[in-house]
Amino acid sequence: MTPVLPVPRDLRLLPDPGHVLYRLPLRMSPHRQELERLILAWADRYGLVDGPRARQRLADTHLGELIARCYPHLRAERLAPLAGWFTWAFVIDDLYDGRECAKAARAAGHTRTTLRMLAALPMVPDGSSARGNRRTARARSMPPLAAELAEVWRGLAGRQSLQWQLRFIGHMGQFLDAFRYEAANRERRHVPALSGYTQLRRASGGITPSLDLLEYAAGQEVPALLHESEQLRTMVNKAADVVVWVNDVLSLRKELAVGEVTNGVLAVGRELGCGMQDAIDHVYRKVARDVAVFLRAEESLTALCGSWHGLGEADRAAVGTFTDGLKAWMRGNLEWGCNSRRYLEADTLRLTGRPALPGRGALPSRRPPV
């Protein structure tokens, strides 16, 4: 069991003013208020939060701001599925938050929960519309979180290629699997070794499917072959790392309040034998290096696209939009984290603590928000 130190009151959680993160562009979609409304509508329609206080906590999280900052090219007709996915992601994250919730979720069967969620993501033939699909008896019997995810998926998948769907489903499976890894650490009060933590953090943060959604939000898909290029893979990985490591710093007080130990600041402190402020400073130096690697890869990708005659103008435009989105995520996540009460208040109130949401539970017969 690894001891966890208390958080000093004078801890500096933000990067220094000259940090490279602040040189990334600030963006904001005009749809923030509508996104905030849709998030609460999804939660209300599927009964995803535990009463008025939890509903207010969801509102105070300002998820609409996060989406608006990180998806600057978001098209108006694509708001509802995106809001629904983030509602689902934050609710299921809170379900596994804290030692008591982790035990309850484990008792409900984590593997069964993962399979239920993935079953809500059937492949949709390329170019077909999923919006008109009828709800089958099986879909109506899903627990609320799986049913909400199924509705979200019907809005997402019909607009995306099969290659995108495969990539997204794979990232969703990794995200769900990571809860078991974090729960094991939490129950044993074990701060993970830095090497293993670094490898798994992208999956546990849910950032990989979030970055996939950049293409959905903008209505522009990057060619699948470019996703396999060394340059774009580097850019996606580094953008993901920046987001999750900054999140670890900003969420530190809140996570320690709920008994979370799978945090990069703690892993760095354990590895280097240093105090929390030194560990935070180390994290921000790592983030600066990651941004520099991202920018060099971007330059290389631009050169690659310029010499690749098989790419059309629409393909190049999609790459540019996706790159803008990756930068928006790195900067927007920092700005949102400074405003969200989810991190400003280190309390133990969660959106939900009911293992029936992903397991057994009655599904309200309601339409998704529009």
Side-chain angles (χ1 to χ4, degrees), residues 226-235 297:
L226 273 182
H227 271 290
E228 291 304 309
S229 69
E230 180 181 346
Q231 292 89 342
L232 194 56
R233 290 181 69 178
T234 296
M235 291 167 63

Side-chain angles (χ1 to χ4, degrees), residues 58 152 167 175 178 189 223 232 255 298 328 350:
L58 178 60
V152 168
R167 176 161 35 93
F175 174 48
R189 304 292 292 168
L232 194 56
E255 292 195 341
E298 180 189 7
R350 304 182 187 96

Side-chain angles (χ1 to χ4, degrees), residues 3 9 26-28 31 78 96 132 135 147 169 173 179 198 216 223 237 260 266 283 299 347 351-352 366:
R9 292 184 178 182
L26 268 177
R27 308 291 295 276
M28 180 74 81
H31 303 298
R78 301 190 175 207
Y96 280 90
R135 291 183 181 181
I169 291 171
F179 285 121
T198 301
Y216 167 79
N237 287 341
E260 181 58 73
L266 302 181
V283 168
E299 291 182 3
D347 61 33
L351 299 177
T352 185
R366 298 167 179 167

Side-chain angles (χ1 to χ4, degrees), residues 322-356:
F322 187 65
T323 299
D324 284 349
L326 295 175
K327 292 177 181 177
W329 254 106
M330 289 189 281
R331 178 69 188 272
N333 171 67
L334 171 64
E335 299 296 332
W336 166 77
C338 296
N339 299 329
S340 175
R341 196 166 294 179
R342 182 177 178 87
Y343 302 137
L344 294 176
E345 296 181 357
D347 61 33
T348 58
L349 178 66
R350 304 182 187 96
L351 299 177
T352 185
R354 291 177 289 145

Side-chain angles (χ1 to χ4, degrees), residues 49-159:
V49 295
D50 295 346
R53 286 186 65 218
R55 187 182 188 275
Q56 186 60 51
R57 181 168 179 80
L58 178 60
D60 291 341
T61 298
H62 300 310
L63 272 183
E65 178 188 346
L66 176 66
I67 299 170
R69 287 188 181 279
C70 298
Y71 298 89
H73 300 284
L74 175 58
R75 294 166 61 166
E77 71 274 14
R78 301 190 175 207
L79 299 180
L82 202 63
W85 187 84
F86 275 90
T87 306
W88 172 87
F90 273 66
V91 169
I92 200 168
D93 182 71
D94 265 24
L95 180 68
Y96 280 90
D97 214 353
R99 298 180 71 188
E100 296 80 7
C101 285
K103 289 179 181 178
R106 186 183 63 179
H110 175 79
T111 300
R112 292 195 302 275
T113 296
T114 297
L115 292 175
R116 286 190 191 102
M117 296 303 158
L118 293 180
L121 307 175
M123 295 293 292
V124 176
D126 195 9
S128 71
S129 173
R131 290 184 179 275
N133 287 357
R134 298 172 113 188
R135 291 183 181 181
T136 63
R138 181 170 175 272
R140 291 180 63 85
S141 68
M142 287 179 176
L145 264 178
E148 195 258 4
L149 181 59
E151 292 285 0
V152 168
W153 183 242
R154 282 192 279 272
L156 294 173
R159 297 181 181 270

Side-chain angles (χ1 to χ4, degrees), residues 112-317:
R112 292 195 302 275
T113 296
T114 297
L115 292 175
R116 286 190 191 102
M117 296 303 158
L118 293 180
L121 307 175
M123 295 293 292
V124 176
D126 195 9
S128 71
S129 173
R131 290 184 179 275
N133 287 357
R134 298 172 113 188
R135 291 183 181 181
T136 63
R138 181 170 175 272
R140 291 180 63 85
S141 68
M142 287 179 176
L145 264 178
E148 195 258 4
L149 181 59
E151 292 285 0
V152 168
W153 183 242
R154 282 192 279 272
L156 294 173
R159 297 181 181 270
Q160 302 303 115
S161 68
L162 289 175
Q163 294 97 321
W164 184 93
Q165 293 177 52
L166 284 167
R167 176 161 35 93
F168 184 83
I169 291 171
H171 288 153
M172 285 286 285
Q174 293 162 9
F175 174 48
L176 291 164
D177 281 347
F179 285 121
R180 179 171 50 187
Y181 149 77
E182 292 188 334
N185 289 336
R186 195 178 299 122
E187 286 191 55
R188 295 167 177 80
R189 304 292 292 168
H190 171 70
V191 175
L194 188 58
S195 59
Y197 180 79
T198 301
Q199 293 296 314
L200 295 172
R201 183 62 177 107
R202 295 168 195 153
S204 67
I207 185 58
T208 45
S210 298
L211 297 183
D212 293 333
L213 288 168
L214 284 167
E215 292 166 283
Y216 167 79
Q220 294 175 292
E221 276 196 38
V222 175
L225 280 176
L226 273 182
H227 271 290
E228 291 304 309
S229 69
E230 180 181 346
Q231 292 89 342
L232 194 56
R233 290 181 69 178
T234 296
M235 291 167 63
V236 170
N237 287 341
K238 292 306 175 184
D241 289 345
V242 168
V243 171
V244 295
W245 282 86
V246 169
N247 180 267
D248 278 357
V249 177
L250 298 181
S251 66
L252 184 60
R253 295 183 189 277
K254 175 253 184 183
E255 292 195 341
L256 292 181
V258 300
E260 181 58 73
V261 291
T262 309
N263 182 289
V265 175
L266 302 181
V268 168
R270 177 183 187 270
E271 188 84 4
L272 302 183
C274 63
M276 284 195 183
Q277 189 62 63
D278 288 338
I280 289 171
D281 294 342
H282 178 91
V283 168
Y284 279 126
R285 288 192 295 271
K286 175 195 183 312
V287 166
R289 292 192 298 270
D290 287 343
V291 173
V293 172
F294 175 95
L295 294 174
R296 289 196 296 271
E298 180 189 7
E299 291 182 3
S300 181
L301 181 64
T302 300
L304 174 66
C305 290
S307 64
W308 193 342
H309 296 295
L311 295 179
E313 289 304 313
D315 297 328
R316 292 187 174 89

Side-chain angles (χ1 to χ4, degrees), residues 12-26:
R12 300 187 309 276
L13 297 179
L14 295 179
D16 292 335
H19 197 280
V20 67
L21 273 175
Y22 294 118
R23 296 201 288 272
L24 296 174
L26 268 177

